[in-house]
Amino acid sequence: MEPDRLLHPLPTARRPLKRRSLHAEAVETLREMIIGGQLAPGARLVEAELCEMFTISRTPLREALRVLEVEGLVTFYPNRGAVVSIISAEEVLQQFEVIANLERIALELAIERMTKADLGRLNRMHDRMIHLYEAGQRRDCFQKDYDMHNRIVALSGNRVLQEMHAGLMARSRRVRYFALHSASRWNEAMAEHDAFMRAINDRDVARASILMRDHVLKTGFLVGEFVRDKGDASPEMLSRADRGPD
């Protein structure tokens, strides 16, 4: 689809950036605008408009856009400039295949290396996630789930794995919200979390890692089907996913 046919107006309010690092601030702000749906898939990222919005020059903005290109959130077209990337169901499934197996390896390493204190903290995170789920606070529960997965990867102690995982999580985060729309998947996912947490506490490396892999693959399949059926993320889709089933 031609990017010129996918124009979306930028938000009009100025968002001046802090001075600690214009490049880093631009990356963070644009990333959140894309993930949160303020910049829709296919939206053209006009440099002059963004520079005025953030009150920065073109150099840090262009550096930020290149970082987001690596993360898969921005696509550059020759003679057209940058647009917010459009993701396909096939790409979603491929991303989750890799994430699932990275997290399987991470959990194997984490179980071997985590201390008693590390395990205690992980259990508390899990308990908090379940509490949020039971209270019907889906968005907060989703964030806690996201934090738990990242914590397990951190406990692997493998920096190369962490960097690969972080990049893929940034690319997939925009569509991971779609898992929120399925009540049945929520129930299933919480049961899966209980199962692999029991295996972690039992120090059952083989069982825990397989349960983790399958848990992530199931989420990826659901998100991929959502994208296939209803298209890539948009503010309306994100809002509907947050509310859950109609």
Side-chain angles (χ1 to χ4, degrees):
M1 190 175 292
E2 290 293 327
D4 283 346
R5 296 175 61 190
L6 294 166
L7 299 182
H8 296 267
L10 287 168
T12 56
R14 289 194 175 198
R15 300 180 63 167
L17 301 181
K18 300 174 185 177
R19 297 297 166 182
R20 66 176 177 85
S21 170
L22 292 177
H23 159 251
E25 288 288 337
V27 169
E28 182 178 335
T29 303
L30 280 168
R31 183 190 292 125
E32 291 304 314
M33 291 175 72
I34 293 170
I35 291 170
Q38 290 174 272
L39 293 171
R44 287 189 64 191
L45 301 172
V46 180
E47 289 187 5
E49 294 178 8
L50 291 170
C51 287
E52 182 179 1
M53 182 189 304
F54 299 151
T55 64
I56 60 174
S57 67
R58 290 179 182 258
T59 298
L61 177 66
R62 288 173 178 171
E63 292 174 352
L65 291 174
R66 289 300 179 185
V67 171
L68 295 173
E69 180 187 28
V70 173
E71 294 182 1
L73 296 176
V74 168
T75 300
F76 281 87
Y77 290 88
N79 304 316
R80 306 266 182 153
V83 303
V84 177
S85 297
I86 299 172
I87 193 169
S88 68
E90 289 71 24
E91 184 178 352
V92 169
L93 293 172
Q94 290 173 9
Q95 288 177 5
F96 276 84
E97 283 178 347
V98 179
I99 292 169
N101 283 286
L102 284 176
E103 292 193 8
R104 173 185 60 81
I105 297 168
L107 188 53
E108 291 175 354
L109 294 172
I111 292 174
E112 294 174 356
R113 295 172 178 177
M114 71 173 67
T115 65
K116 185 177 179 179
D118 291 330
L119 181 57
R121 178 182 175 187
L122 197 62
N123 278 314
R124 289 191 296 275
M125 293 179 73
H126 173 71
D127 291 344
R128 177 59 178 164
M129 184 192 69
I130 296 298
H131 173 76
L132 292 168
Y133 163 70
E134 292 174 344
Q137 299 179 38
R138 286 192 176 187
R139 194 175 185 88
D140 291 339
C141 180
F142 175 89
Q143 185 60 52
K144 186 59 66 176
D145 172 87
Y146 190 83
D147 293 343
M148 274 195 68
H149 283 261
N150 285 333
R151 179 60 184 163
I152 287 168
V153 172
L155 289 171
S156 73
N158 187 306
R159 187 172 297 277
V160 173
L161 191 156
Q162 291 171 32
E163 291 174 354
M164 293 175 64
H165 182 262
L168 283 166
M169 289 293 272
R171 294 181 65 175
S172 68
R173 187 178 171 193
R174 188 176 68 182
V175 294
R176 290 177 80 94
Y177 285 112
F178 288 156
L180 293 172
H181 87 287
S182 172
S184 61
R185 178 57 191 153
W186 268 100
N187 297 334
E188 186 179 55
M190 294 302 102
E192 291 164 7
H193 263 271
D194 273 335
F196 72 67
M197 284 303 300
R198 286 197 300 271
I200 291 172
N201 280 281
D202 291 341
R203 302 282 180 165
D204 188 338
V205 175
R207 179 170 174 75
S209 62
I210 294 302
L211 288 170
M212 171 65 85
R213 182 200 65 189
D214 292 349
H215 166 69
V216 178
L217 286 175
K218 286 179 182 178
T219 297
F221 179 79
L222 174 71
V223 172
E225 287 299 300
F226 194 94
V227 171
R228 191 187 309 279
D229 293 342
K230 300 186 179 181
D232 196 0
S234 68
E236 293 79 13
M237 283 291 182
L238 289 169
S239 177
R240 190 176 310 145
D242 282 345
R243 290 196 303 268
D246 294 333

